[in-house]
Amino acid sequence: DQQVKQNSPSLSVQEGRISILNCDYTNSMFDYFLWYKKYPAEGPTFLISISSIKDKNEDGRFTVFLNKSAKHLSLHIVPSQPGDSAVYFCAASEAGTYKYIFGTGTRLKVLA
Amino acid sequence: NAGVTQTPKFRILKIGQSMTLQCTQDMNHNYMYWYRQDPGMGLKLIYYSVGAGITDKGEVPNGYNVSRSTTEDFPLRLELAAPSQTSVYFCASSGGQGYTEAFFGQGTRLTVV
């Protein structure tokens, strides 16, 4: 039972263009959402997060959008850079549980 | 700051052997986690702890045991290694105060043959 889903295993984007990574969830009790970036042979590193009281959070080139009614969130990277090539994981947490449930990841390749 | 440190980085085990994956954090975080990452399967939560002396099962706990005797350390024990436990294991910690992120170690790549 996959509560957090990333349906696109991979994505290729030209340098300078927008990358859009998508994530869907099924548990309506999730109220905190995170995006992590992972390079090969390294641990995931935190990128950006959003709580359920917001619908958008921005940090530099990275913006996360949350659509609670659709149980959907997305990560926008503008402009995309070759160094952004990595696997991106979406994660969700339910208040009071402090557990993070992860999606299966999307491999982003930014082409120079 | 060292953050979250895992040892060893790599290990090959024979079927039926046992081992302990070590994890320590220096951020005084109450919450600690063990995840495994299988190809195409994302990160699955094995066990987690909300403080010293308190542990609980995650999504895939079978075949593993944990203990939390101190705030800093959260070792993961494999008693009878099986090929299905071949994976990359990540330890993480978080402050757990409201909405906060988890910090991950660099991982342990385990192969059971």
Side-chain angles (χ1 to χ4, degrees):
Chain A
D1 179 25
Q2 191 74 25
Q3 296 186 71
V4 179
K5 302 176 186 179
Q6 294 177 257
N7 292 318
S8 298
S10 63
L11 175 69
S12 290
V13 171
Q14 285 295 132
E15 182 180 5
R17 304 296 292 268
I18 183 171
S19 295
I20 300 176
L21 294 89
N22 293 303
C23 178
D24 298 293
Y25 61 96
T26 58
N27 186 347
S28 58
M29 299 301 291
F30 287 147
D31 64 346
Y32 187 55
F33 304 89
L34 310 91
W35 284 94
Y36 280 82
K37 179 178 180 179
K38 187 184 178 306
Y39 292 119
E42 294 184 10
T45 54
F46 171 73
L47 195 56
I48 192 169
S49 63
I50 189 168
S51 72
S52 59
I53 60 172
K54 294 185 173 184
D55 54 17
K56 177 182 173 181
N57 189 26
E58 198 170 350
D59 184 2
R61 296 186 297 115
F62 302 92
T63 303
V64 56
F65 295 92
L66 175 62
N67 182 334
K68 283 177 295 194
S69 60
K71 294 192 181 69
H72 177 84
L73 63 155
S74 60
L75 174 68
H76 293 209
I77 306 173
V78 184
S80 301
Q81 299 173 353
D84 296 330
S85 297
V87 177
Y88 288 79
F89 289 101
C90 169
S93 178
E94 179 182 338
T97 69
Y98 299 109
K99 292 188 293 184
Y100 302 89
I101 305 300
F102 281 78
T104 51
T106 296
R107 183 178 300 277
L108 174 66
K109 189 171 185 179
V110 181
L111 307 168
Chain B
N1 260 351
V4 179
T5 302
Q6 292 182 236
T7 56
K9 287 189 169 47
F10 305 94
R11 183 74 186 267
I12 298 174
L13 273 185
K14 293 186 178 178
I15 294 171
Q17 286 185 320
S18 62
M19 76 164 294
T20 299
L21 283 66
Q22 302 291 346
C23 175
T24 188
Q25 52 93 8
D26 62 0
M27 297 175 281
N28 201 33
H29 284 168
N30 285 325
Y31 294 80
M32 296 189 73
Y33 313 85
W34 275 106
Y35 288 88
R36 59 178 285 175
Q37 185 192 7
D38 300 322
M41 297 299 290
L43 292 154
K44 292 290 188 184
L45 181 63
I46 305 171
Y47 270 95
Y48 68 104
S49 168
V50 301
I54 307 169
T55 62
D56 207 348
K57 296 177 180 178
E59 302 167 274
V60 289
N62 291 345
Y64 306 94
N65 279 302
V66 292
S67 59
R68 184 93 182 273
S69 56
T70 66
T71 300
E72 296 78 21
D73 301 306
F74 190 40
L76 178 72
R77 178 88 178 155
L78 284 72
E79 290 293 350
L80 289 169
S84 60
Q85 294 177 305
T86 293
S87 189
V88 181
Y89 292 84
F90 291 102
C91 179
S93 73
S94 77
Q97 298 300 316
Y99 300 129
T100 184
E101 69 271 25
F103 296 84
F104 281 80
Q106 294 225 325
T108 295
R109 182 176 294 277
L110 176 67
T111 303
V112 182
V113 296

